[in-house]
Structure formats: C-alpha cells, structure tokens
Amino acid sequence: MSFEYIQSALAARHAEGLLRKRIVVEKASASRIQIADQQYINFASNDYLGLADSLEFNTLVCTEAGSRSSALVTGYLDIHRQLEDKLCSVLGYDAALLFPSGFAANTSVLKALFTPQEKQLSAAVFQDKLNHASLLDGGLAGCAKFVRFNHNNLTHLRSRLEKTKADSKLIVTEGVFSMDGDQAPVSEISVLAKSHSAWLMVDDAHAFGAVGAQGLGTIESGIKPEILVITFGKAMGCQGAAVLANHDVINYMMQFNREFIYTTALSPIMASVALCQLNRLLAASEARHKLQVNIDYFKWLVAQTNLSPIPSDTAIQPLVYGSSENVLAAQHKLKEKGLWVGAIRPPTVPQNTARLRITITAQHSHEDIDKLVSALVEGA
Ligand SMILES: Cc1ncc(COP(=O)(O)O)c(C=O)c1O
C-alpha cells in the first residue's frame, strides 16, 4: 500500500519513546513559562540575555509587514541593507546576506558552495561529528567529499586533512555546540586550516551575544572564519540569520544559492526587529555579566553534588541520562516540581546519550538555580 511507511515509522518512534509532540506555550520569558495553566521556571530557552520579550515597538524604524518579493527582484529594502551593514561593521566583514532562518542559511550556503559550476569539483568539507543537522544536511547535499571528524578532536581533523587530495577544503564547526554546550577550539582549528590551505566556516548560533565580553562570539577570540553564520533566534531573541564573508563569496551566493534566490526576502518588520535587537544585544553587557554569574553559580552548585553534566562553560549545561525513558522520567519529575527543562533524545543526539539540555539565562535568579539543582539531586 502506498505511504504505508508513515504509520510504521510513527509506530516505531512511539515504541522507542522517541515520538515528538508540540506543546502550546501560553506565556513565556527567558526564565518563566506557562503551559496548561501551570507556571514553571524555564530552563529550556535560548533567550540567553532575556531580550525576546521586551522589545518596544515604537523603536522600530520600519514596520512594513512584507517585502513583497525575493531579494533579487524588489524585496531588498533599505532596512535589510542597514541590518547587513551593521553586522558587517560589528563583526568586521565585507558583506552579508540575510536568511529567514539559521537552518536555511547553513544548508543553502554549503549546498551552493559545493555545487560545481564546472563539471569537475575537487573539494572536501570536513565537519565535526556533532555539528547541527543544518550543517550536516548542507554538507551531504553538496558535491564535495563529505568527511566527518570526531568531536573537537584536532588530531583526527589533522589526519583527515593530511589524507585529502581535494583542492578546495572547508572545515565546518559550531562555535558553541548546541546540544553539548562546549566550545570548538577555533584558534587551533584556524591554525590547522591555514596550514592546509583550508577555509573555515563557523556557525555561531549559540555564541553570538552570549560569548565574549562584547558578545561577539568567535570573532572576539581573534579568529575571523572565511564564512561566519549568525542566527537571530537565540541571544538576539527574534528570528532570521546572516551569513558573513568576503564580497566574492557573498556575490557567489547571490548567483547560486537557491534558498536565497527563490524565496521572499526576510520580512522588513523582522529585519527591523533584528536591527533593534542587535543594538540591544551589543549594549547588554550587564545581562552578559549576569549570565556569566549564573553559569558560574550553577557550575559551583553542581560541583558540590554527584551530578556530572557534560563539561561546559556556556549557558548550555547538558546532563546525560542515557536512555530516552530515563530522560523523559527525569523531565517529568522536574515538571512536577515546577521546573521546565528540554529532554533531548536521538536522533538529535547520539544513541544512548539522551539528555536534559539545561539552559541558563541572565534572567534566572540564584533561587531558581537552587531549585533546579536540588530537584536534580533529589533524583529527577
Ligand atoms: C547550532 C545551530 N545552528 C543553526 C540553527 C538553526 O537556526 P534557526 O533556529 O535560526 O533555524 C540552530 C537552531 O536550532 C542551532 O542550534
């Protein structure tokens, strides 16, 4: 029977405890969430600085809802240019391109970069095994040889680079890993890249805004990847993404990136929100300090218990439970104590590493963190 596999795939997901469901959120902030009339302390938000819910709409320079067309027809408005210019000047790049999501930016850039305009392409893309699905999908969709290296393992990456005969080589990593919270050794990767004449692409989705005194993520460590991806849905607290690179790369994307060419340009009101949020993020040094204080406090508290989260210095503090059943049970117990934490299961994370993905934000109080750690110790 046609499409019979839909039923069997759903049944298999259910049987393995891997079925995903949406929940309706009635109200949320970086640190609170209301679901089915119940209030919870929210430890599942990527709104690290607490910027998502307090925008003043009268500060927007443009409130047009729609761009009416793709960017290459008539959809590229002055507000888009302003946002790109601001990102370029802050991050030190020649040019930028806006996308409606980080997923679209990542997949399409990798696909376009490795879609040969000539018949032969001697290229290889080297990806950390824990890279985000959008990066892996983009790498698999392009025509470059797809090579994965063990997570943050420079020796493995070096040996992979030494073996390749490709002319064009790109190393792709996340700045802060979304499900592990640890940071890529970008300085060392950048040295390796240079010594093998490879380019570097960094997805700074979880670093931008949250990492570095000014919140500039990878750039603040003195590294300038050839391609940098910034998403607006995490610390910027809105939606969309930007790809930053030199003029040639951005110009190439404008010619060959199908997700950029054949889509309606980012809504002008969202570009305006993003510009406003970018300015707020850059000025949010107090929130960044508070975020760091909260991360340090969580780590300090946890160090006095028998809990052992994946080592991470960032806002993402994952606690591995192994099986999906165990992590769902832990999540349920936390819920009963008024705490909301994301339970992340395969295939988002590798088999037997289902985890609670705890995210700390600047809006949490020490009492919130006390409650979480006590509940975790009590056996959630
Ligand atoms: C590392 C990473 N890159 C890219 C994305 C996709 O970004 P967006 O949510 O804007 O599509 C995410 C979000 O889940 C992410 O965690």
Side-chain angles (χ1 to χ4, degrees), residues 43-44 178-181 298 307-310 315-335 339-345 349 353-359 372 375-377 379-380:
F43 284 101
S178 58
M179 294 301 141
D180 290 61
F298 174 82
L307 301 168
S308 42
I310 294 176
I316 303 164
Q317 295 285 331
L319 208 47
V320 173
Y321 283 79
S323 72
S324 299
E325 293 72 31
N326 286 351
V327 80
L328 289 175
Q331 184 192 42
H332 184 71
K333 283 188 196 157
L334 288 176
K335 253 192 246 172
L339 298 151
W340 196 276
V341 183
I344 312 292
R345 294 163 287 160
V349 291
T353 69
R355 66 198 64 183
L356 290 176
R357 179 179 181 269
I358 297 160
T359 47
L372 173 67
L376 291 167
V377 169

Side-chain angles (χ1 to χ4, degrees), residues 46-49 51 83 86-93 174-177 183 202-220 228-238 240-242 244 274-275 277-284 288 291 314-316:
N46 294 324
D47 181 16
Y48 304 122
L49 302 174
L51 298 182
L83 175 57
K86 180 78 190 190
L87 284 166
C88 286
S89 85
V90 164
L91 293 162
Y93 281 84
E174 293 180 31
V176 168
F177 283 86
Q183 291 169 268
V202 176
D203 171 0
D204 247 358
H206 294 277
F208 188 63
V211 171
Q214 299 168 69
L216 302 184
T218 292
I219 289 293
E220 231 173 290
L228 179 69
V229 177
I230 295 297
T231 67
F232 307 158
K234 300 350 184 195
M236 260 172 71
C238 55
L244 295 110
L275 182 58
Q277 294 292 79
L278 175 60
N279 287 324
R280 294 179 71 212
L281 175 148
L282 295 171
R288 254 184 304 281
L291 172 63
T314 72
I316 303 164

Side-chain angles (χ1 to χ4, degrees), residues 1 16-17 30 36 49 76 91 105 113 120-121 132 160 188 190 223 251 297 347 350 370 375:
M1 237 174 38
E16 290 162 16
L49 302 174
Y76 184 57
L91 293 162
L113 197 59
Q120 290 303 320
L121 179 76
H132 191 260
R160 297 291 207 188
E188 291 86 344
S190 165
I223 305 302
N251 195 10
Y297 184 64
D370 289 340

